[in-house]
Amino acid sequence: MEIWINPACSKCRGALTLLDAEGADYTVRRYLEDVPAPDEIRAVLDRLGLEPWDITRTQEAVAKELGLAAWARDADTRERWIEALAAHPKLIQRPIITADDGTAVVGRSEEAVRDALGRRA
């Protein structure tokens, strides 16, 4: 399993603490430094079963600068959202845990992290 984190994020640190406590085997990806390419974002969205606007931190300053609140949330603008996430990774909700069974979760709660742990192969 892989977890996309921002080390400054308390939710990310909490998820790592829980993964460690459960003895999980995982890889850390500091996604602000190791920025996911659009194809990787698409793959994670598929695993999450979500759309790019569902994992976008719309309250970030850059979201306001880009005017994301006014962007359409439909198939025609999906790629625009993905490109924005790749260009501005701070917009990506965190932590994202890719589970061993091919799915993923946004691990913002202990329950979500435990859900990912339960998906181990």
Side-chain angles (χ1 to χ4, degrees):
M1 97 178 24
E2 182 177 78
I3 181 169
W4 292 9
I5 68 155
N6 173 351
C9 168
S10 64
K11 299 281 186 191
C12 294
R13 292 191 307 270
L16 292 174
T17 298
L18 182 54
L19 292 174
D20 289 341
E22 294 294 325
D25 182 22
Y26 64 91
T27 302
V28 170
R29 180 172 187 170
R30 294 179 179 216
Y31 71 93
L32 296 178
E33 299 163 17
D34 183 7
V35 178
D39 284 345
E40 292 175 289
I41 294 170
R42 281 186 212 91
V44 162
L45 288 167
D46 288 346
R47 292 175 79 162
L48 287 166
L50 297 174
E51 293 297 337
W53 46 85
D54 296 325
I55 65 162
T56 300
R57 298 171 54 85
T58 57
Q59 297 306 309
E60 290 289 334
V62 69
K64 292 177 179 20
E65 290 169 21
L66 293 172
L68 291 183
W71 288 17
R73 296 177 180 210
D74 59 26
D76 291 338
T77 58
R78 187 174 197 268
E79 283 305 308
R80 184 179 183 200
W81 283 87
I82 290 169
E83 292 294 333
L85 293 173
H88 308 280
K90 192 170 188 176
L91 292 173
I92 300 172
Q93 190 60 263
R94 61 192 183 247
I96 293 177
I97 303 169
T98 57
D100 292 338
D101 69 353
T103 62
V105 299
V106 178
R108 294 197 54 77
S109 68
E110 181 177 329
E111 180 181 89
V113 176
R114 290 196 182 282
D115 182 34
L117 284 167
R119 299 177 188 197
R120 289 190 270 194

